[in-house]
Amino acid sequence: MKKILLSAVSLLLLVSCSNDESNTSGESTATARRHRGCASHEVHEQQLRENPELAAKMQEIENFTQNAITNGRLVNGRIEIPVVVNVLYRTAAENISLTQIQSQIDVLNKDFNALNSDFNQVPTTFSGVKANVRITFVLDAVYRKSTKKTSWGTRDAMKKSSQGGLNPTSPTTKLNLWVCTIGGGILGYAQFPGGSSATDGVVIDSKYLGTTGTATAPFNKGRTATHEVGHWMNLRHIWGDATCGSDLVSDTPTHNTANYGMPAFPHYSTCSGTPIEMTMNYMDYTDDAGMYMFSNGQKSRMLAIFASGGSRFSFAQP
């Protein structure tokens, strides 16, 4: 079992969502698609620079999370999260259809409720820890806005009407999901609990949302949103954003680093104890077809933020 330790310094490292392997230098789109890339690390660092109090706030959230898990103060029953989708488009292709949007909601509901068809592919090695998170999602509203921007980057411009984007709708009770062309090989990014409500939510590139329309292989099974919503619910990358790092979850094995593509099973870590890596976990970096489970420990982390006193408690209210 992994030993979970956290300090103010390590939090800044562990909360990151590195895109070191992604394309940020103008390579071809084909090259950019080889590896999953998200920009939560850069976004989080920028937020820390702009708000020096954020690190302490996130430490408080982590302390609460660990205490809630230890003392069993988790939400009972099912949580339903309304989702507001904000579509920013320049071309007809970027103005994705309602069918494509609904396909993403369907994937989230399957993945967070162990109803995904590939859930039965979880190896017996991990069958004892595979989780049904029991969180559901419902499409609340879709807002669309035409723009002349060719890409939006990762500085949250898409979340601000003053910069040509769309402001979030009721971000303390609704998950806002922005769909746009991000650029730089980034598939998506999320804001962790603790940040400003004015920028809270998830951003997904329109080429990697849902399972139909513009969804592009090998990221066309809706798992980019599953991964990013996991971050929004306080999950770290499974490798802890460091060599043999910690994701603050006790039942996930220690990974060397991110895994890409479709790793063959078993894939052994060279970290202490050489455990078999949980490459099929949603918080790794494999292709969409290669990820299909959360662990019970990850489930506990997610449910903790919806408990009384948790950073997303308002979402658990009727």
Side-chain angles (χ1 to χ4, degrees):
M1 181 177 292
K2 287 184 291 188
K3 187 175 183 181
I4 299 175
L5 298 173
L6 188 69
S7 66
V9 174
S10 63
L11 177 62
L12 303 186
L13 296 174
L14 292 169
V15 78
S16 67
C17 183
S18 172
N19 69 335
D20 289 344
E21 297 294 333
S22 67
N23 171 34
T24 58
S25 59
E27 296 178 34
S28 69
T29 302
T31 300
R33 285 200 302 267
R34 291 177 185 171
H35 287 168
R36 183 177 300 279
C38 73
S40 297
H41 175 57
E42 290 79 4
V43 172
H44 179 65
E45 286 191 333
Q46 182 64 33
Q47 289 175 340
L48 287 170
R49 287 191 291 269
E50 295 173 352
N51 180 11
E53 298 177 355
L54 181 58
K57 186 174 183 180
M58 295 190 72
Q59 180 68 63
E60 291 177 3
I61 291 172
E62 187 58 37
N63 292 342
F64 176 89
T65 298
Q66 295 300 332
N67 182 64
I69 293 172
T70 300
N71 296 307
R73 293 174 54 199
L74 303 177
V75 171
N76 292 318
R78 192 175 296 274
I79 299 169
E80 182 177 274
I81 297 179
V83 182
V84 175
V85 178
N86 303 293
V87 181
L88 295 159
Y89 65 94
R90 183 180 64 88
T91 67
E94 292 173 343
N95 189 18
I96 61 172
S97 68
L98 183 60
T99 299
Q100 184 171 350
I101 292 171
Q102 186 60 54
S103 76
Q104 181 61 74
I105 301 298
D106 293 343
V107 169
L108 289 173
N109 280 318
K110 290 177 182 178
D111 289 352
F112 279 82
N113 290 276
L115 296 173
N116 47 303
S117 61
D118 44 8
F119 189 67
N120 60 5
Q121 296 180 27
V122 175
T124 55
T125 303
F126 303 122
S127 61
V129 299
K130 63 181 182 181
N132 178 353
V133 181
R134 294 178 60 83
I135 294 177
T136 59
F137 303 82
V138 59
L139 183 60
D140 183 79
V142 178
Y143 298 106
R144 301 175 185 272
K145 186 174 183 178
S146 177
T147 176
K148 295 182 179 180
K149 284 182 176 286
T150 56
S151 63
W152 288 85
T154 56
R155 291 296 304 276
D156 287 340
M158 71 288 292
K159 305 176 183 180
K160 303 170 183 177
S161 60
S162 62
Q163 297 185 31
L166 287 164
N167 291 336
T169 300
S170 305
T172 60
T173 56
K174 298 178 181 181
L175 167 58
N176 278 257
L177 194 158
W178 286 266
V179 183
C180 60
T181 295
I182 301 173
I186 302 300
L187 277 64
Y189 70 92
Q191 179 168 295
F192 291 95
S196 169
S197 62
T199 53
D200 195 36
V202 169
V203 183
I204 305 293
D205 192 289
S206 59
K207 296 185 294 298
Y208 311 112
L209 185 100
T211 62
T212 187
T214 61
T216 305
F219 307 113
N220 59 341
K221 293 184 178 295
R223 264 59 191 271
T224 294
T226 300
H227 177 101
E228 299 301 345
V229 171
H231 284 314
W232 183 79
M233 292 185 185
N234 207 25
L235 295 187
R236 311 298 191 246
H237 284 141
I238 196 166
W239 69 96
D241 293 293
T243 302
C244 300
S246 173
D247 60 354
L248 308 178
V249 176
S250 62
D251 64 1
T252 55
T254 304
H255 284 219
N256 291 78
T257 186
N259 289 293
Y260 299 96
M262 296 287 292
F265 184 85
H267 178 72
Y268 287 90
S269 168
T270 60
C271 302
S272 178
T274 62
I276 297 174
E277 294 189 349
M278 193 183 285
T279 60
M280 68 294 305
N281 191 281
Y282 292 124
M283 302 314 294
D284 207 336
Y285 257 15
T286 60
D287 292 350
D288 277 18
M291 50 174 62
Y292 36 86
M293 70 167 287
F294 288 115
S295 76
N296 285 322
Q298 290 173 320
K299 172 182 177 178
S300 293
R301 278 191 69 83
M302 289 188 275
L303 294 184
I305 64 169
F306 297 105
S308 178
S311 57
R312 298 204 187 281
F313 175 58
S314 57
F315 283 84
Q317 303 309 294

